[in-house]
Amino acid sequence: MLGQIFKKQALLLLRNPVQLLLLVGLPIILILILGVALSSFMNGEAPVIQVKLGLVEQAEESAQLEQFTAEQKELPAEVFNEMESMLPIQLLKEEVFGSEEVKEFITVEEIAPNKMEDVLNDNTFTAVIEVPENFTYELLQYLYLGEQQQPALQLYTNTQHQLGASIVEDILTQYQQQLTLQSFLGENRIDAALLQENLQNVTADVSALEQQQPVSSKDYYTIGMAVMNVLFIASAIGSIAFMEKNTFVFNRVILANVSHWVYFLGVLMTGMVFAFLHLLIIFGFSWIVFDVTWPDLVGFSLVTISFAIAVGGIAVLLTALCYRLHSEVITNFFSNILVSLMALLGGSFFPIGDSSAFIATLGNFTPNGAGMSAYLSVLRGNEWTEVTNHLLVLVLFGVISVIVAAWSFPKRGAAL
């Protein structure tokens, strides 16, 4: 008789083509959209950035050098030679922003001082660097005469190009650190070439703590969409069971001298089997189309079975609560709100757990979060100890759901 109950539930689900299309077609479409749209981010590729940088010099650097050398004739000749090769703005333009790596994404335009106001109002510029009138002269005093006041460049950034502006800020910060280092070396009579040679002789042993297979965006969103959409199987079965209550199908089953526990187990079996098949269909399609392969089929099978147990437990729990409350509101709440919330915490849309250990732990206690973590561990080739914890959460979730459902499920007299 259990087989007949399962057959009846399965036929009711299969005879609803719209629902089947949503259950199977929706995750495939989402995998394709999210996997392609976020592939560069998930695969660690750098975004394409083009920065237009304006450089305004209020006074010529060579004139400031001549002024400094004219005032400080007592300095050794080698110091003057060093100054000519280490003019700060010249180094900034040629060695920093003029390097091949930086020129690929930063274009520097030298602006006349009288055009500065126009440039600041030009939205195409990401940032503008203003070099004050006596910047080089004051910096030479700071580096070679020990002046306490360190001159500063003025940076104007475009708030609409925050990423590019932050890159320019980081480059200037590193440049300032290099100037500070040169000042320190000069004050302490340390040869920069000798220091660099000593640093190159420093060796270190590097050992890999853990080797993991990389996870692509299509791998990630295949798992994320599969573990989210399979939960709709539970709500679909719960809705079918509640419809049978309203049409007195359940009452007729009881009047036919069939135990209500047989019907209970039939709903549980339907949820488990269809959840298992749903996962196989989604992952099978992803294997054929997106080349999502599993290095450990045994681990994949165990995770899928454990997840099916959890989904079956949810299906029978939703059925029992709908029967107990005489309302379908709990099923609607689960499918419309709770699934989306669990998908967010579990990381189906985005690896939100990477930003917070608390959210990661909380997400791993949801069925989809535990399933996703288990699938990712198998896909990466992690140790079995990392997989078994998530499998235990899935199985316990399913068992607890079944126990609560059995307690809530109406007894024979109540059903009639």
Side-chain angles (χ1 to χ4, degrees):
M1 194 61 191
L2 180 60
Q4 295 298 321
I5 297 294
F6 170 75
K7 180 180 178 181
K8 174 183 66 64
Q9 298 290 107
L11 289 174
L12 288 172
L13 189 60
L14 293 174
R15 287 172 180 171
N16 191 337
V18 176
Q19 193 169 53
L20 287 177
L21 180 61
L22 289 175
L23 290 173
V24 178
L26 181 61
I28 292 174
I29 295 173
L30 290 175
I31 292 168
L32 182 61
I33 294 174
L34 295 175
V36 173
L38 300 178
S39 59
S40 61
F41 175 79
M42 294 296 298
N43 296 336
E45 299 175 5
V48 178
I49 301 173
Q50 290 298 326
V51 175
K52 185 178 179 181
L53 177 65
L55 181 62
V56 181
E57 292 186 72
Q58 297 292 348
E60 292 186 6
E61 193 170 40
S62 58
Q64 298 177 62
L65 175 62
E66 292 178 2
Q67 178 185 356
F68 183 81
T69 54
E71 295 177 357
Q72 308 296 331
K73 296 181 180 180
E74 68 278 3
L75 292 176
E78 59 269 16
V79 174
F80 290 111
N81 295 332
E82 180 183 342
M83 291 179 190
E84 293 179 356
S85 61
M86 294 189 63
L87 292 176
I89 303 304
Q90 180 180 343
L91 288 176
L92 184 64
K93 291 189 291 186
E94 296 178 359
E95 301 295 332
V96 179
F97 291 118
S99 64
E100 293 299 327
E101 297 82 1
V102 176
K103 285 168 61 177
E104 292 181 1
F105 60 93
I106 295 183
T107 302
V108 179
E109 293 188 15
E110 296 191 39
I111 311 298
N114 59 350
K115 300 291 185 181
M116 181 175 173
E117 191 67 27
D118 297 334
V119 172
L120 293 177
N121 295 325
D122 189 345
N123 195 45
T124 62
F125 280 87
T126 304
V128 176
I129 299 175
E130 180 187 9
V131 183
E133 187 173 356
N134 294 318
F135 176 82
T136 299
Y137 177 81
E138 293 176 358
L139 184 62
L140 292 175
Q141 287 183 321
Y142 174 79
L143 293 176
Y144 295 100
L145 302 181
E147 294 289 339
Q148 297 297 319
Q149 184 66 30
Q150 182 180 5
L153 299 173
Q154 183 67 42
L155 177 64
Y156 302 90
T157 58
N158 190 338
T159 57
Q160 297 182 11
H161 302 141
Q162 293 184 357
L163 182 57
S166 65
I167 292 175
V168 175
E169 290 179 2
D170 291 340
I171 291 176
L172 290 178
T173 300
Q174 294 178 16
Y175 178 65
Q176 181 187 16
Q177 292 174 352
Q178 290 297 321
L179 289 179
T180 304
L181 176 62
Q182 292 296 330
S183 174
F184 173 80
L185 295 178
E187 291 176 0
N188 294 274
R189 301 293 188 268
I190 300 175
D191 188 354
L194 181 61
L195 176 64
Q196 183 65 27
E197 181 180 349
N198 291 333
L199 289 176
Q200 291 177 351
N201 294 329
V202 175
T203 60
D205 294 329
V206 179
S207 58
L209 298 179
E210 184 178 6
Q211 297 293 332
Q212 294 184 348
Q213 295 294 329
V215 176
S216 67
S217 61
K218 288 189 173 63
D219 295 335
Y220 185 89
Y221 284 110
T222 292
I223 299 173
M225 294 302 102
V227 299
M228 180 187 75
N229 286 273
V230 74
L231 297 177
F232 291 114
I233 292 284
S235 61
I237 293 175
S239 298
I240 291 174
F242 185 73
M243 178 192 68
E244 291 184 330
K245 178 182 183 298
N246 287 339
T247 55
F248 304 105
V249 173
F250 179 68
N251 292 51
R252 289 196 292 270
V253 170
I254 300 301
L255 289 174
N257 202 26
V258 177
S259 172
H260 63 285
W261 294 117
V262 174
Y263 184 86
F264 180 91
L265 293 175
V267 174
L268 175 62
M269 182 184 298
T270 305
M272 292 173 57
V273 172
F274 272 86
F276 184 80
L277 294 176
H278 180 274
L279 291 171
L280 290 184
I281 291 172
I282 299 301
F283 287 125
F285 179 87
S286 297
W287 171 60
I288 296 172
V289 178
F290 304 130
D291 194 29
V292 179
T293 57
W294 296 89
D296 185 1
L297 291 179
V298 175
F300 168 78
S301 301
L302 289 176
V303 176
T304 305
I305 293 172
S306 301
F307 206 143
I309 293 173
V311 175
I314 297 173
V316 76
L317 177 60
L318 291 176
T319 300
L321 292 177
C322 286
Y323 275 43
R324 173 66 64 179
L325 299 175
H326 303 286
S327 173
E328 202 177 0
V329 64
I330 188 67
T331 301
N332 295 331
F333 174 78
F334 176 81
S335 60
N336 295 331
I337 298 177
L338 202 55
V339 170
S340 299
L341 180 60
M342 290 193 299
L344 177 63
L345 292 175
S348 293
F349 301 115
F350 187 79
I352 190 173
D354 292 347
S355 60
S356 172
F358 174 75
I359 294 178
T361 303
L362 187 62
N364 284 332
F365 280 103
T366 63
N368 59 298
M372 186 163 189
S373 297
Y375 277 126
L376 288 174
S377 296
V378 173
L379 197 62
R380 290 167 177 158
N382 291 350
E383 297 292 335
W384 261 101
T385 53
E386 297 187 26
V387 182
T388 51
N389 293 333
H390 302 302
L391 296 183
L392 183 62
V393 170
L394 289 171
V395 174
L396 284 178
F397 189 93
V399 171
I400 293 173
S401 298
V402 171
I403 293 174
V404 176
W407 176 80
S408 304
F409 201 73
K411 306 304 182 283
R412 184 181 182 89
L416 295 173

